[in-house]
Amino acid sequence: MSRKVTDKAVGNRPVRHSRVIIVGSGFSGLGLAIRLSQQGRTDYLVLERGSDVGGTWRDNTYPGAACDVPSQLYSYSFALNPEWSRSFSKQPEIQRYIQGVADKYGVRDKHIFDCEMTGARWNAEDARWEIQTSQGPFTADILVSAVGALCEPNLPDIKGINDFQGEIFHSARWNHDSDLTGKRVAVIGTGASAIQIVPSIAGEVAHLDVYQRTAPWLLPRVDREYLAPEKFALKRIPALRSLYRAGIYAARETQVVGLAKFPPAMLGLEAIARAKLFAEVRDPELRRKVTPNFRIGCKRMLISNEYYPALSRDNVDVVTDGIKEIRPGSIVTKDGTEREVDAIIVATGFHVTDSPVYDTVSGRDGRTLSEVFEAIGQQGYKGSAINNYPNMFFMLGPNVGLGHTSMVFMLESQINYISDAIAQFDKLGLRTVEVRKDVQDEYNAGLQRKLEGAVWSTGGCASWYLDKHGNNTTLWPDFTFRFRSLLEHFDVSAYDTTTEPVAQAV
């Protein structure tokens, strides 16, 4: 049963109402929109701040941008792509895939692009969400946040950074008008983006300084173009695409044993990484700099065949002293060394556990997500609901992240759960649902118990996986098929609910 609501107006601006509003159209938001359409729903909208679908794959267009999960697995299970050109796809190909899926399933007309959510407040009296956006106000009975974790660039707090007179930009906001040829360039950071950027620009710049705080573990990138017979078969035999996908999934899932169950099992992967490091970095001093001091898997494992050779170039230096300040034309490290630079590329990742979006969403008691997380840490229930936020669901919420396989598998599990929840609203005549605090607390206590023995807790590193309370609120500490089973159906008994009043006969 869907409530009939008449659009209102705020001042001269009409308020648009929809039964369901999804915020964000990356893999997660787009996937949910498609599922709702497949269920015959038309009473939903997708608000997307960008000008197209794609999320992080629309925004991250830096040189060398590519996925570190094989293409056959990094795609929707309901839209396996027969056109992948290689085992690990690059950003343009992934973005074309996402755009093609949106077109194939005809959901673009349910999108409002260039529409950024600037605030959302729960109205208990009307039992709906009041949403402020760059294109005016909206209301919704059900609000779904599909704002990805890798969408808000994290800019470092470095003295003088705003006084730099050369070119400076974040890797996720690449300035394609900038020509780095023959310039002195600094890359700050050595994470997943940096290891792709550095080899892509090292050959064209005059000099490149790579500022490293923590050396990452690198594994070989077993990437190749598909052979012509493979492409032919993958296009014409759907079962072959499914077989490739299943094989990749199974191989990746074996890593859970070492990551979450028995960390010493990671020693095999670490031996591979050490052998790679020794073979590709012959200079002893450089090798010392880029050798990690923690167990592999504690921080995100990276894959590259080009990064170490790029660092070994004569025009590339790895700087391990911390940055003291940035001057108009140089960077000064804590040991007092000043290095002249024409351009700075900031590759320092994203706001994950402290997203600015959290400041904009106010729940039942008026507190924002930021205020709630400040008090108790980033906690939720099945990564999909948070107490104090009725009728709101989260894609890729707390403890849904992975360090070994495709996030698309996890978000499809959430699509199952959230779409079933929306269906239950109509089936049971629900007006509101809010996950019970005791249920959420018990669920999170169980997660933290599992995480105590995981490599992320015992591997000797500090990472963005941890929140300010020291809890790992980012990663799922088990096999992904168990997450899929856990979210197969919406468990309404875990929620406090109210029902729609029964209409009285006249």
mmCIF file of all heavy atoms in Angstrom, residues 187-207:
data_model
loop_
_atom_site.group_PDB
_atom_site.id
_atom_site.type_symbol
_atom_site.label_atom_id
_atom_site.label_comp_id
_atom_site.label_asym_id
_atom_site.label_seq_id
_atom_site.Cartn_x
_atom_site.Cartn_y
_atom_site.Cartn_z
ATOM 1 N N VAL A 187 53.845 13.884 -6.229
ATOM 2 C CA VAL A 187 52.658 13.087 -5.928
ATOM 3 C C VAL A 187 52.673 12.807 -4.434
ATOM 4 O O VAL A 187 53.632 12.225 -3.913
ATOM 5 C CB VAL A 187 52.636 11.765 -6.715
ATOM 6 C CG1 VAL A 187 51.490 10.876 -6.240
ATOM 7 C CG2 VAL A 187 52.508 12.038 -8.213
ATOM 8 N N ILE A 188 51.627 13.239 -3.746
ATOM 9 C CA ILE A 188 51.532 13.011 -2.307
ATOM 10 C C ILE A 188 50.617 11.820 -2.085
ATOM 11 O O ILE A 188 49.426 11.872 -2.383
ATOM 12 C CB ILE A 188 50.986 14.259 -1.578
ATOM 13 C CG1 ILE A 188 51.894 15.463 -1.818
ATOM 14 C CG2 ILE A 188 50.856 13.986 -0.083
ATOM 15 C CD1 ILE A 188 51.371 16.753 -1.198
ATOM 16 N N GLY A 189 51.196 10.726 -1.578
ATOM 17 C CA GLY A 189 50.420 9.515 -1.335
ATOM 18 C C GLY A 189 50.938 8.346 -2.144
ATOM 19 O O GLY A 189 51.507 8.520 -3.229
ATOM 20 N N THR A 190 50.745 7.149 -1.602
ATOM 21 C CA THR A 190 51.184 5.931 -2.290
ATOM 22 C C THR A 190 50.117 4.850 -2.192
ATOM 23 O O THR A 190 50.417 3.677 -2.009
ATOM 24 C CB THR A 190 52.505 5.414 -1.703
ATOM 25 O OG1 THR A 190 52.364 5.257 -0.278
ATOM 26 C CG2 THR A 190 53.655 6.349 -1.992
ATOM 27 N N GLY A 191 48.855 5.268 -2.327
ATOM 28 C CA GLY A 191 47.752 4.318 -2.279
ATOM 29 C C GLY A 191 47.369 3.828 -3.663
ATOM 30 O O GLY A 191 48.141 3.921 -4.629
ATOM 31 N N ALA A 192 46.152 3.321 -3.778
ATOM 32 C CA ALA A 192 45.698 2.670 -5.004
ATOM 33 C C ALA A 192 45.729 3.594 -6.215
ATOM 34 O O ALA A 192 46.061 3.158 -7.327
ATOM 35 C CB ALA A 192 44.288 2.120 -4.796
ATOM 36 N N SER A 193 45.390 4.874 -6.025
ATOM 37 C CA SER A 193 45.421 5.818 -7.153
ATOM 38 C C SER A 193 46.857 6.169 -7.520
ATOM 39 O O SER A 193 47.212 6.202 -8.703
ATOM 40 C CB SER A 193 44.642 7.092 -6.807
ATOM 41 O OG SER A 193 43.289 6.804 -6.540
ATOM 42 N N ALA A 194 47.674 6.427 -6.528
ATOM 43 C CA ALA A 194 49.052 6.864 -6.775
ATOM 44 C C ALA A 194 49.851 5.824 -7.545
ATOM 45 O O ALA A 194 50.637 6.163 -8.430
ATOM 46 C CB ALA A 194 49.748 7.195 -5.455
ATOM 47 N N ILE A 195 49.658 4.546 -7.219
ATOM 48 C CA ILE A 195 50.471 3.532 -7.896
ATOM 49 C C ILE A 195 50.084 3.370 -9.366
ATOM 50 O O ILE A 195 50.827 2.770 -10.144
ATOM 51 C CB ILE A 195 50.409 2.171 -7.181
ATOM 52 C CG1 ILE A 195 49.025 1.535 -7.315
ATOM 53 C CG2 ILE A 195 50.838 2.286 -5.741
ATOM 54 C CD1 ILE A 195 49.052 0.041 -7.124
ATOM 55 N N GLN A 196 48.930 3.913 -9.740
ATOM 56 C CA GLN A 196 48.548 3.924 -11.152
ATOM 57 C C GLN A 196 48.998 5.216 -11.829
ATOM 58 O O GLN A 196 49.393 5.216 -13.004
ATOM 59 C CB GLN A 196 47.037 3.748 -11.287
ATOM 60 C CG GLN A 196 46.548 2.394 -10.798
ATOM 61 C CD GLN A 196 45.031 2.235 -10.879
ATOM 62 O OE1 GLN A 196 44.284 3.211 -10.969
ATOM 63 N NE2 GLN A 196 44.559 0.992 -10.840
ATOM 64 N N ILE A 197 48.962 6.311 -11.090
ATOM 65 C CA ILE A 197 49.335 7.611 -11.646
ATOM 66 C C ILE A 197 50.841 7.697 -11.893
ATOM 67 O O ILE A 197 51.283 8.146 -12.958
ATOM 68 C CB ILE A 197 48.888 8.748 -10.698
ATOM 69 C CG1 ILE A 197 47.359 8.828 -10.662
ATOM 70 C CG2 ILE A 197 49.486 10.085 -11.128
ATOM 71 C CD1 ILE A 197 46.834 9.734 -9.570
ATOM 72 N N VAL A 198 51.632 7.276 -10.913
ATOM 73 C CA VAL A 198 53.088 7.436 -10.997
ATOM 74 C C VAL A 198 53.672 6.820 -12.273
ATOM 75 O O VAL A 198 54.405 7.496 -13.013
ATOM 76 C CB VAL A 198 53.769 6.875 -9.730
ATOM 77 C CG1 VAL A 198 55.269 6.763 -9.928
ATOM 78 C CG2 VAL A 198 53.469 7.783 -8.536
ATOM 79 N N PRO A 199 53.366 5.564 -12.608
ATOM 80 C CA PRO A 199 53.931 5.013 -13.850
ATOM 81 C C PRO A 199 53.406 5.706 -15.103
ATOM 82 O O PRO A 199 54.090 5.732 -16.128
ATOM 83 C CB PRO A 199 53.481 3.546 -13.827
ATOM 84 C CG PRO A 199 53.116 3.261 -12.421
ATOM 85 C CD PRO A 199 52.611 4.549 -11.872
ATOM 86 N N SER A 200 52.208 6.285 -15.007
ATOM 87 C CA SER A 200 51.593 6.914 -16.185
ATOM 88 C C SER A 200 52.221 8.250 -16.535
ATOM 89 O O SER A 200 52.169 8.674 -17.688
ATOM 90 C CB SER A 200 50.089 7.095 -15.942
ATOM 91 O OG SER A 200 49.457 5.848 -15.734
ATOM 92 N N ILE A 201 52.815 8.937 -15.544
ATOM 93 C CA ILE A 201 53.361 10.265 -15.805
ATOM 94 C C ILE A 201 54.874 10.334 -15.670
ATOM 95 O O ILE A 201 55.496 11.318 -16.088
ATOM 96 C CB ILE A 201 52.729 11.324 -14.881
ATOM 97 C CG1 ILE A 201 53.120 11.082 -13.417
ATOM 98 C CG2 ILE A 201 51.205 11.339 -15.030
ATOM 99 C CD1 ILE A 201 52.665 12.191 -12.464
ATOM 100 N N ALA A 202 55.492 9.290 -15.109
ATOM 101 C CA ALA A 202 56.935 9.349 -14.821
ATOM 102 C C ALA A 202 57.766 9.589 -16.073
ATOM 103 O O ALA A 202 58.809 10.257 -16.024
ATOM 104 C CB ALA A 202 57.391 8.064 -14.136
ATOM 105 N N GLY A 203 57.323 9.084 -17.201
ATOM 106 C CA GLY A 203 58.096 9.223 -18.424
ATOM 107 C C GLY A 203 57.965 10.558 -19.114
ATOM 108 O O GLY A 203 58.761 10.868 -20.018
ATOM 109 N N GLU A 204 57.001 11.379 -18.710
ATOM 110 C CA GLU A 204 56.790 12.659 -19.387
ATOM 111 C C GLU A 204 57.223 13.861 -18.560
ATOM 112 O O GLU A 204 57.448 14.941 -19.106
ATOM 113 C CB GLU A 204 55.317 12.815 -19.780
ATOM 114 C CG GLU A 204 54.364 12.948 -18.598
ATOM 115 C CD GLU A 204 52.912 13.059 -19.025
ATOM 116 O OE1 GLU A 204 52.399 12.082 -19.618
ATOM 117 O OE2 GLU A 204 52.289 14.107 -18.764
ATOM 118 N N VAL A 205 57.360 13.701 -17.255
ATOM 119 C CA VAL A 205 57.734 14.830 -16.406
ATOM 120 C C VAL A 205 59.255 14.951 -16.353
ATOM 121 O O VAL A 205 59.982 13.989 -16.622
ATOM 122 C CB VAL A 205 57.155 14.680 -14.983
ATOM 123 C CG1 VAL A 205 55.645 14.536 -15.028
ATOM 124 C CG2 VAL A 205 57.792 13.488 -14.260
ATOM 125 N N ALA A 206 59.724 16.147 -15.993
ATOM 126 C CA ALA A 206 61.174 16.340 -15.847
ATOM 127 C C ALA A 206 61.680 15.627 -14.596
ATOM 128 O O ALA A 206 62.727 14.964 -14.625
ATOM 129 C CB ALA A 206 61.496 17.826 -15.779
ATOM 130 N N HIS A 207 60.926 15.771 -13.515
ATOM 131 C CA HIS A 207 61.304 15.112 -12.267
ATOM 132 C C HIS A 207 60.038 14.839 -11.469
ATOM 133 O O HIS A 207 59.092 15.638 -11.483
ATOM 134 C CB HIS A 207 62.262 15.962 -11.440
ATOM 135 C CG HIS A 207 62.779 15.235 -10.231
ATOM 136 N ND1 HIS A 207 63.840 14.357 -10.289
ATOM 137 C CD2 HIS A 207 62.363 15.234 -8.937
ATOM 138 C CE1 HIS A 207 64.063 13.853 -9.088
ATOM 139 N NE2 HIS A 207 63.176 14.379 -8.262
#
